[in-house]
Amino acid sequence: MGDGLDAADDAPLATSKHEFAAAEAVAGTLPGAKGATLTSRAVTINRPSADLFAYWRDFSNLPSFMDNVERIDVISSTRSHWVVKAPAGKTVEWDAVITEEVEGELIAWSSQEGADVPNSGRIEFRDAGARGTVVIVTILYDPPAGFIGKVVAKMFQREPAIQARGDLRRFKQLMETGEIATASRTRAQLEAEQN
Amino acid sequence: MRALTWHGKHDVRVDTVDDPEILNPRDAIIKITSTAICGSDLHLYDGYIPTMQAGDILGHEFMGEVVEVGAKSTLQKGQRVVVPFTIACGSCYHCGKHQYSACDNGLPADNQDIGQEMYGQPMSGLFGYSHLTGGYAGGQAEYVRVPFSDVGPIIIPDGVEDEKVLFLSDILPTGWMAAENADIEPGDTVAVWGCGPVGLFAVQSAFLMGAERVIAIDHFPHRLELAKKFGAETINFEETATYEALLQMTGGIGPDAVIDAVGLEAHGFFVDNVIDQIKASTFLGTDRIHSIRQAIIACRKGGRVSMPAVYGGFVDKFPLGAFMEKGLTLKTGQTHVQHYMPALLNAIMENKIDTTFLISHTLGLEDAPQGYKMFHDNQNEVTKVVLKPGLALAAE
Ligand SMILES: NC(=O)c1ccc[n+]([C@@H]2O[C@H](COP(=O)([O-])OP(=O)(O)OC[C@H]3O[C@@H](n4cnc5c(N)ncnc54)[C@H](O)[C@@H]3O)[C@@H](O)[C@H]2O)c1
Ligand SMILES: [Zn+2]
Ligand SMILES: [Zn+2]
């Protein structure tokens, strides 16, 4: 057996059992790739791709469903500054630049020098006919502080892969239902849940 | 407000908790006028359902008056509504197919992890039924917050008493869907395990769908009596060998369709059941599945199996061989309540279906713990307990 990818099948790279080789292969397809840990996820959203693309492309919208994002400052049409919650009340920050964009279909980004969490990735919007749009997110990142950081982050639901999973579900809820589901009974509970 | 809360196995209490508030645009707040204790609630009461937390408000069968609405709710204050126990968005792919209990958006995003891990996919939210199903507060309370109030609740015409329509929230559609899932053909014989509310509504529904004979199985004489009233033949499994009886009663063929309306707490001193009980209490296996095993063995070749009964985890000794060799079909699932409500409301209004026969006890909300105990300890006579927050404490 080699490092695995030579016997490749048709499955998405992020589902490969050969994590390092898969991350490297994805990095090869991303301009300015940053990060060595790969995660990806697909979700089908019952809305036209143009609507989803437009909402996502306006980065100031993203904190409405990205739980961990404290704020995103839009600096120019391709550059933004991200402030993201980290475990133990800390925050991590980086500048992201759009490296590729196909209207209605694809946005790729990469973090710039000095990022606390070097990362890059792409989001694709593929027309799925009567089912709406398949949204596929692929992210490469370096976990906050090595492996230990990843374990701790996981406990706090701040691990980027877990976070991406929740964010995509909330994005789907917002786009399909106009709101984000909560089981809270009172406003005070809802606020506690959101912190 | 006052609300019935779960604190552990056989420990439910009426506590004072904060009133619910409108949190999302499609929400409504309902003032409860009637709410029922369900067979499914007994699974919580007996501690069989994981992810319960102390203080959780129970109750998924309820109705009441709209007292507050969010900006996007289509309800109006003062309307009387019955609320489906499944929390579904109405706008996802599954809701579009009327598979409401498979709604993609009923659960808060973080609650979806559990279902994804356990079942491969998260399901819809449910009221008052553990954090696996969202952790939503239930309706055994004075007030409840109802999400997606523009697609779930059904408006009840004035002058129709609560008792006639309350069961649209769960057990009537569940019994109906159980019969529908049995794909009944004219002339069929249908066997129903369990004469609780779900089984009894399945009996009524099966006849309405053209079954020639329905055979109802239980061990509580009073419940069997009710099944008989609707035209079913009965088998008391404590007195009779069920499989042998079913074969003889069907000329050696077996029932064309079988319905398991018992679920993960099957009663009876059957060898497999006792082993299941030991395993369940030692967490080696979770579900006691005597009734579904027997249903599969009794079913005729090429027949249909419908399983409204709730199972949550893994099972042992599922007769997969019999299932395959006889070429059976199985349909199951949490009920797509929203899909069935309008037609069943019509059937009630036209007196085609009676639901009031089921209610054996009506109590005030403060008496809810007593209601749970009665329903748990005396299933023969206690067929359904309805709680009314407006009703004063029962006299001592
Ligand atoms: N699919 C759904 O959406 C849905 C909705 C509501 C209820 N349920 C489930 O349906 C099932 C029945 O609900 P219910 O409210 O009628 O409950 P219930 O507890 O009132 O009735 C169950 C009946 O089964 C009988 N029984 C027990 N062991 C038996 C056996 N071995 N053979 C034959 N009968 C046996 C009991 O004596 C009892 O009368 C439960 O599992 C409940 O969780 C499912
Ligand atoms: Zn119920
Ligand atoms: Zn839905």
Side-chain angles (χ1 to χ4, degrees), chain B residues 216-354:
Chain B
I217 304 151
D218 205 305
H219 61 144
F220 292 128
H222 175 63
R223 290 183 171 209
L224 287 169
E225 211 44 54
L226 289 173
K228 214 183 191 85
K229 269 216 253 181
F230 293 112
E233 299 155 59
T234 58
I235 294 176
N236 183 330
F237 69 76
E238 240 153 45
E239 313 293 332
T240 299
T242 306
Y243 166 79
E244 285 76 6
L246 282 171
L247 274 202
Q248 280 209 26
M249 290 163 87
T250 56
I253 295 171
D256 301 289
V258 294
I259 298 177
D260 173 12
V262 178
L264 54 78
E265 289 190 67
H267 308 165
F269 196 76
F270 305 101
V271 175
D272 59 346
N273 205 8
V274 173
I275 294 172
D276 284 346
Q277 269 184 60
I278 294 168
K279 288 199 169 157
S281 59
T282 53
F283 295 100
L284 287 172
T286 49
D287 294 349
R288 289 155 55 187
I289 64 161
H290 178 78
S291 48
I292 188 67
R293 277 187 196 120
Q294 202 172 52
I296 286 172
I297 298 296
C299 189
R300 83 149 157 85
K301 292 179 276 189
R304 286 94 52 191
V305 184
S306 162
M307 193 175 79
V310 166
Y311 297 93
F314 298 88
V315 300
D316 262 357
K317 301 197 181 59
F318 184 80
L320 199 56
F323 186 71
M324 184 274 161
E325 297 292 345
K326 289 203 287 182
L328 305 183
T329 309
L330 172 67
K331 288 192 185 174
T332 182
Q334 297 283 355
T335 307
H336 306 301
V337 183
Q338 288 86 337
H339 170 71
Y340 296 100
M341 278 180 139
L344 287 173
L345 176 59
N346 282 341
I348 291 170
M349 300 301 288
E350 291 165 7
N351 291 319
K352 286 189 187 140
I353 292 182
D354 172 41

Side-chain angles (χ1 to χ4, degrees), chain B residues 37-41 60-61 85 170-171 384:
Chain B
I37 305 176
C38 176
S40 301
D41 291 331
H60 59 268
E61 302 182 354
F85 79 97
D170 175 357
I171 47 175
K384 197 74 182 174

Side-chain angles (χ1 to χ4, degrees), chain A residues 85 184 186-195:
Chain A
K85 291 177 205 158
S184 294
T186 64
R187 194 151 293 285
Q189 283 175 354
L190 180 60
E191 277 157 18
E193 193 182 276
Q194 284 168 342
N195 281 315

Side-chain angles (χ1 to χ4, degrees), chain A residues 66-70 84-92 94 117 141-145 149-165 167 170 192-195, chain B residues 110:
Chain A
M66 290 188 174
D67 253 16
N68 268 0
V69 172
E70 213 160 83
V84 174
K85 291 177 205 158
K90 302 214 172 80
T91 56
V92 288
W94 62 80
V117 180
Y141 65 99
D142 287 330
K150 188 169 167 177
V151 172
V152 173
K154 218 168 188 157
M155 289 163 51
F156 290 90
Q157 292 274 315
R158 302 269 195 251
E159 216 278 322
I162 295 176
Q163 196 55 42
R165 185 164 78 199
D167 288 346
R170 278 181 289 270
E193 193 182 276
Q194 284 168 342
N195 281 315
Chain B
D110 293 335

